[in-house]
Amino acid sequence: GDSVTQMEGPVTLSEEAFLTINCTYTATGYPSLFWYVQYPGEGLQLLLKATKADDKGSNKGFEATYRKETTSFHLEKGSVQVSDSAVYFCALSWGTTDSWGKLQFGAGTQVVVTP
Amino acid sequence: NAGVTQTPKFRILKIGQSMTLQCTQDMNHNYMYWYRQDPGMGLKLIYYSVGAGITDKGEVPNGYNVSRSTTEDFPLRLELAAPSQTSVYFCASSYSDRGPYEQYFGPGTRLTVT
């Protein structure tokens, strides 16, 4: 079946460091891919998305490129801030009517940014 | 727009008690979902609904029930609560008329069963 694999956390960084969180997926075909972020004590928020190969999603300084050849959707940010401390989830969706919009989530990666 | 709202925010139940977690969305979304999130884990789908009167089981439905009488509301019922149901519960909704079906989440209900 479909699955999403993320690098394990926690990832601890200093402010202004470069962040990469690896995400790979297993699926037949070309799903839509998402990154969600969960700040402490809150629900998940959509951070960015990509719907087809080579698409690049970007938001709040974060970027991720849909790589069909490596079935990956790695999240990157060039200079993190303390406010980026959160749990980041990679997810896929089929975007077809009969998938009913269901998301397959990775386990999440906790990121801790220290001053 | 309030988005997706959930009540209560916190609840402590004794083993064997029952309760209903409320979820309401004001975005006119047809699709709605219930997830649970255990510590250090990802989200697991409990139940979902594709419209009023239509619900189906997700990955971990045992011990739960749902109903969808209106587009806006999607309550989750726990009967005979067990310690294994201690978790954070999230409700979400999404559009149904087009992909990629990004989901909008509520703030969650933290439930402890003792």
Side-chain angles (χ1 to χ4, degrees), chain B:
Chain B
N1 265 359
V4 180
T5 57
Q6 293 182 239
T7 56
K9 285 188 175 10
F10 304 94
R11 183 72 185 268
I12 299 174
L13 280 182
K14 293 191 187 306
I15 294 171
Q17 287 186 320
S18 301
M19 77 165 292
T20 299
L21 283 66
Q22 302 292 346
C23 174
T24 300
Q25 53 91 10
D26 63 358
M27 296 175 282
N28 201 33
H29 287 170
N30 276 345
Y31 292 174
M32 294 187 75
Y33 313 86
W34 273 106
Y35 295 92
R36 59 178 287 171
Q37 183 183 31
D38 298 325
M41 306 289 284
L43 279 75
K44 294 190 185 298
L45 182 65
I46 304 171
Y47 269 96
Y48 66 101
S49 170
V50 301
I54 307 170
T55 63
D56 205 353
K57 296 176 181 178
E59 189 180 357
V60 289
N62 290 346
Y64 307 95
N65 269 305
V66 294
S67 59
R68 185 98 181 269
S69 56
T70 67
T71 299
E72 295 77 21
D73 299 308
F74 189 40
L76 177 72
R77 178 85 178 159
L78 279 72
E79 307 279 3
L80 299 174
S84 61
Q85 293 178 305
T86 294
S87 190
V88 181
Y89 292 84
F90 290 101
C91 179
S93 69
S94 73
Y95 296 107
S96 61
D97 58 344
R98 63 184 187 279
Y101 303 108
E102 58 193 79
Q103 292 186 13
Y104 297 78
F105 283 79
T109 294
R110 185 175 295 275
L111 175 67
T112 302
V113 182
T114 63

Side-chain angles (χ1 to χ4, degrees), chain A residues 1 7 62 69 73 82 89 91 98 101 104:
Chain A
M7 62 188 286
F62 290 89
E69 61 278 10
F73 192 54
V82 172
F89 292 92
D98 60 359
Q104 179 72 46

Side-chain angles (χ1 to χ4, degrees), chain A residues 12-94:
Chain A
T12 303
L13 303 163
S14 298
E15 213 165 19
E16 299 183 4
F18 185 88
L19 170 68
T20 299
I21 304 175
N22 290 341
C23 171
T24 57
Y25 67 90
T26 301
T28 307
Y30 308 115
S32 296
L33 300 172
F34 305 84
W35 277 101
Y36 281 83
V37 59
Q38 183 180 30
Y39 297 106
E42 298 185 10
L44 279 71
Q45 304 173 24
L46 180 66
L47 182 59
L48 53 83
K49 65 186 179 192
T51 59
K52 60 183 186 297
D54 300 325
D55 264 3
K56 178 185 281 189
S58 60
N59 187 25
K60 298 183 181 179
F62 290 89
E63 291 185 341
T65 302
Y66 190 159
R67 300 286 187 199
K68 182 183 70 173
E69 61 278 10
T70 54
T71 61
S72 64
F73 192 54
H74 305 323
L75 183 68
E76 296 181 336
K77 186 174 185 182
S79 176
V80 294
Q81 305 300 313
V82 172
S83 57
D84 293 323
S85 297
V87 180
Y88 294 81
F89 292 92
C90 186
L92 69 80
S93 164
W94 284 107

